[in-house]
Amino acid sequence: HIPNRRIEMFSVPYGQVAQQIVDPKSDLAHFRADMTFFVDRPEDLLGVSVLDLVDLERVRSAVQSYIELVKSYRGQNDGWIFVNSFAPLGPSPFGVGDNEDGFGPGAYLKDMDSRLRDSLNAQSQLLVFDLGIAAASHASAALDPRLWHLGRFPFADSFTDYLARRYTGLVLSATGRTVRLLLVDLDNTLWGGVLGEDGVAGIQLGGDYPGNAFVTFQRALKKLSDRGIGLAVCSKNDEAPTIDAMNSIAEMVINPDVLISHRINWAPKFENAQEILADLNLGLGSAMLIDDNPSEREQMRQQCPEI
């Protein structure tokens, strides 16, 4: 969901990508897309379920035609274009792999992916989306041969949902709606336990579970901070002892020096968030709240839905 933005989508009819791009009066040309996704695999270009039994020259010819098609579309459209990379997403259903000389479907895909990237990387406002990394980071199988045979859908349902979320992230990034500031709670979020009740000695951070999980989380936030995403603490606590705790706990990765702002008090968090963003001259849509308390998250949704 992208707030305050109306979405219209156009899907090219099956097997008509080339015709729609070549014809200047086609429905695709008339649509004038702001964002375009090319999601074909070499298998789709050739109309086969697997590459195992396809001659390499046929694969190369189909991929080269596809590359020229994408370039042609780039010349006609001034919006963002995202193109899926080529990657092996699962084992061959025939049990066929690359032979001892390195030839086979895996080698085909590696070669074709290099051609795709080398040909398109210089194009403006065009990003090659790494489908292989996406599949590797997904928890379950990317492919579902049953769906392919039923309706030419190559991906498993769960992987399709995962890709939709990743594509939405690309759209948000391209439209400048990326998160630039993380508003982070402290108790049971950056550390385990409640400082006001458990004291510094009772805080769980480092060591065994659950303390090790909170340290891992803090390290992940620190990496985001190093990439230029701001970190701010938004916590209901007494400020002075909380700052002392953040400075004194040895395992604390996110200390006050890492933060670009903080509000540690008993005011509503949405008010504190508004103050922090105003001080930093950022819009509400630039921020994300991370808080373990569902009532705090819900109140933020109600009062500041852009966050």
Side-chain angles (χ1 to χ4, degrees), residues 2-3 5 80 82 166-182 224 227-230 277 282-288 306-307:
I2 306 177
R5 189 172 289 272
W80 272 93
F82 305 98
R166 293 292 303 273
Y167 292 162
T168 301
L170 294 175
V171 171
L172 290 170
S173 178
T175 55
R177 298 182 65 86
T178 51
V179 169
R180 299 174 62 187
L181 177 72
L182 293 175
L224 292 175
R227 283 170 43 191
I229 296 175
L277 289 160
L282 291 174
L284 298 180
S286 300
M288 172 180 173
E306 300 91 344
I307 291 181

Side-chain angles (χ1 to χ4, degrees), residues 6-192:
R6 182 166 156 267
I7 304 296
E8 290 183 61
M9 297 184 65
F10 175 79
S11 296
V12 173
Y14 183 78
Q16 295 186 22
V17 173
Q19 298 95 307
Q20 290 279 329
I21 290 176
V22 171
D23 182 2
K25 297 182 179 179
S26 69
D27 292 338
L28 176 62
H30 183 263
F31 186 71
R32 299 182 61 83
D34 297 311
M35 309 279 167
T36 303
F37 288 83
F38 285 85
V39 297
D40 287 293
R41 305 167 303 148
E43 295 92 331
D44 304 318
L45 303 177
L46 291 158
V48 298
S49 57
V50 292
L51 293 178
D52 300 64
L53 307 178
V54 181
D55 179 78
L56 176 58
E57 287 307 314
R58 279 191 62 204
V59 180
R60 284 177 173 165
S61 176
V63 168
Q64 189 58 44
S65 296
Y66 182 60
I67 290 170
E68 295 305 321
L69 204 60
V70 174
K71 286 183 175 180
S72 175
Y73 183 75
R74 166 75 291 164
Q76 304 166 20
N77 183 283
D78 57 4
W80 272 93
I81 298 173
F82 305 98
V83 183
N84 276 0
S85 70
F86 299 143
L89 302 180
S92 164
F94 301 140
V96 178
D98 295 348
N99 62 28
E100 59 185 14
D101 296 323
F103 294 103
Y108 288 6
L109 283 169
K110 185 176 181 179
D111 182 28
M112 296 306 104
D113 189 55
S114 295
R115 290 170 181 265
L116 182 79
R117 293 175 186 272
D118 291 345
S119 300
L120 298 181
N121 276 340
Q123 301 291 316
S124 63
Q125 285 190 264
L126 187 151
L127 176 71
V128 176
F129 174 77
D130 201 313
L131 192 64
I133 290 179
S137 61
H138 185 57
S140 57
L143 300 180
D144 188 337
R146 297 169 303 172
L147 292 179
W148 168 260
H149 288 95
L150 283 169
R152 294 296 188 265
F153 300 112
F155 303 133
D157 285 341
S158 62
F159 188 57
T160 296
D161 292 341
Y162 176 73
L163 284 179
R165 291 193 296 272
R166 293 292 303 273
Y167 292 162
T168 301
L170 294 175
V171 171
L172 290 170
S173 178
T175 55
R177 298 182 65 86
T178 51
V179 169
R180 299 174 62 187
L181 177 72
L182 293 175
L183 301 165
V184 188
D185 179 40
L186 290 174
D187 293 332
N188 289 315
T189 301
L190 276 194
W191 56 51

